[in-house]
């Protein structure tokens, strides 16, 4: 039946969603920290981008952890 998912299915969906949040968070963090280094410029604007991308990455990672905490036994 479409729409009726068992416990294992719900857990898999949560794990996949958490993995997606975590991967996007890692991408934000990596791009935010690596891009200014590659360009070789550390201006105030670049520093703000580093902080914001790190913050976004952290928030997405925490959301992934919250999703994993809802896994059913």
């Amino acid at each position: 039946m479409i729409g009726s998912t068992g416990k294992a299915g719900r857990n898999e969906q949560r794990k996949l969603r958490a993995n997606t949040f975590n991967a996007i968070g890692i991408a934000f963090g990596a791009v935010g920290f690596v891009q200014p280094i590659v360009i070789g410029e550390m201006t105030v604007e670049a520093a703000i981008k580093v902080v914001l991308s790190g913050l976004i990455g952290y928030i997405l990672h925490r959301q992934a952890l919250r999703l994993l905490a809802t896994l059913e036994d």
Side-chain angles (χ1 to χ4, degrees), residues 1 4 6-7 11-12 16-17 20 23 29 39 44 49-50 64:
M1 296 176 79
S4 74
K7 179 171 60 171
N11 280 341
E12 267 316 299
L16 289 170
R17 201 170 304 126
T20 301
I39 291 176
V44 172
K49 288 179 184 178
V50 167

Side-chain angles (χ1 to χ4, degrees), residues 24-39 46 49-50 53-54:
I24 294 170
I26 289 170
F28 264 98
V31 168
F33 284 109
V34 172
Q35 191 242 359
I37 293 169
V38 170
I39 291 176
K49 288 179 184 178
V50 167
S53 63

